[in-house]
Amino acid sequence: MLFDSFKELEVIYNIEKIEIISLLLEVIKEELNLKYDVFLELDENNSKIHFLENNVNNTQRSFRITKSRYKQIKKELKNKLHYYSVLKQNIYFKEKILNNVLVGEVISKYKGGYLIKTAYGTCKLPYNQIPLEKLKYPLEKHKKMYFYVYKIVNYKNIKNEIFLQNYNKKIIKHILNENIDKKNLIKIIYKNKDSEILVLLKNDISNIEKSIIINDLINYKINFSLIKNKA
């Protein structure tokens, strides 16, 4: 057979069978320098493949792959499978964490900002993403903090570079939703250029819950207020 079983390739590259076949046909067309599209037919046991080429008048021409072409097609197929697999992983990776909040800690500085250790590797918090009035206060090392992923740059489908913000309203909403029941959280009011937050609640929460929120939102001044229902 030209290559390992479809099931084996599906497992190795986490790609569906129909995608593998599509890439295989693409490689064959390129390597054999065929003018028209190629398709294949499999026997019932998937043990034998018949390759056919569509001609201009919709007639079909069967052909074989010689031994001299075998190794090159197999090599190019695996290269394409690897590239396509990494590409899909990068797309999934972006969809999973881009525009979301994650936890991290400062481990060191680089020329343009801070390096942040997260579950997704080392990320960057650029100085230009920190409000000017806050830059004079260095971030504490190895303290758990929340960050917002505002950009992911991919280099040659090999490496993802993740860029963070430590001031973003989505961080505030994320932490409040983690610690306050949605039915109890009425409204969030931002004051003084978003540096102060007033949290309006239907029912009071414990001092422990308040302490957790204040500690997690260390970059902000937090106040809580109850809104009583009118009798």
Side-chain angles (χ1 to χ4, degrees):
M1 192 172 177
L2 177 64
F3 50 85
D4 304 323
S5 70
F6 283 119
K7 286 185 179 180
E8 186 176 346
L9 292 176
E10 284 179 83
V11 172
I12 293 171
Y13 296 101
N14 193 27
I15 297 177
E16 294 181 7
K17 179 179 176 180
I18 191 167
E19 295 173 303
I20 296 171
I21 293 174
S22 177
L23 290 172
L24 171 63
L25 298 179
E26 183 181 309
V27 170
I28 291 173
K29 184 179 179 181
E30 290 172 358
E31 290 300 315
L32 299 184
N33 197 26
L34 298 175
K35 186 176 180 180
Y36 302 106
D37 288 338
V38 176
F39 66 98
L40 59 79
E41 292 178 352
L42 297 170
D43 63 14
E44 292 181 358
N45 299 319
N46 286 352
S47 60
K48 192 172 183 180
I49 302 174
H50 302 280
F51 294 102
L52 301 103
E53 179 189 21
N54 274 332
N55 287 327
V56 67
N57 57 358
N58 265 348
T59 59
Q60 298 167 1
R61 179 183 70 86
S62 63
F63 61 91
R64 293 182 179 181
I65 296 173
T66 63
K67 290 182 179 180
S68 61
R69 295 283 189 176
Y70 171 84
K71 289 184 179 180
Q72 186 62 25
I73 289 175
K74 186 172 182 180
K75 178 182 176 182
E76 288 303 315
L77 173 63
K78 291 191 174 182
N79 287 341
K80 278 187 180 286
L81 286 171
H82 175 73
Y83 176 87
Y84 191 65
S85 175
V86 172
L87 186 63
K88 285 186 69 176
Q89 288 173 16
N90 286 331
I91 292 170
Y92 171 77
F93 184 79
K94 277 192 174 184
E95 289 175 347
K96 184 177 180 182
I97 72 169
L98 186 61
N99 300 321
N100 281 304
V101 175
L102 51 77
V103 178
E105 61 181 62
V106 176
I107 53 175
S108 64
K109 291 183 180 181
Y110 72 102
K111 186 177 180 180
Y114 292 95
L115 294 177
I116 312 297
K117 180 183 177 182
T118 74
Y120 301 96
T122 301
C123 309
K124 290 183 176 180
L125 170 62
Y127 289 135
N128 62 16
Q129 295 301 315
I130 303 173
L132 287 174
E133 65 273 16
K134 302 294 184 179
L135 279 173
K136 59 185 177 181
Y137 304 110
L139 296 182
E140 185 180 341
K141 279 189 177 183
H142 307 300
K143 178 179 174 59
K144 186 191 81 170
M145 289 180 277
Y146 286 82
F147 299 91
Y148 174 74
V149 181
Y150 76 94
K151 182 171 70 172
I152 299 176
V153 177
N154 179 255
Y155 295 98
K156 298 180 180 179
N157 290 311
I158 297 173
K159 179 184 177 183
N160 288 306
E161 195 159 62
I162 305 168
F163 292 88
L164 309 175
Q165 296 172 336
N166 62 336
Y167 287 86
N168 190 291
K169 286 183 180 180
K170 288 192 177 182
I171 297 174
I172 298 167
K173 291 177 182 178
H174 176 84
I175 292 171
L176 292 176
N177 287 333
E178 273 197 338
N179 294 280
I180 301 173
D181 188 280
K182 289 183 178 180
K183 293 180 180 178
N184 194 26
L185 180 59
I186 297 174
K187 191 175 182 181
I188 306 168
I189 298 174
Y190 301 92
K191 299 180 178 180
N192 295 333
K193 297 181 180 180
D194 298 341
S195 63
E196 293 185 28
I197 302 163
L198 176 61
V199 182
L200 302 182
L201 302 171
K202 185 181 291 185
N203 300 300
D204 203 4
I205 57 176
S206 70
N207 289 332
I208 293 175
E209 289 170 320
K210 289 178 182 177
S211 295
I212 292 171
I213 293 170
I214 291 169
N215 185 62
D216 287 341
L217 289 172
I218 194 170
N219 295 323
Y220 303 89
K221 183 179 179 182
I222 314 293
N223 292 298
F224 300 90
S225 181
L226 295 180
I227 302 296
K228 299 290 185 181
N229 291 327
K230 294 182 179 179

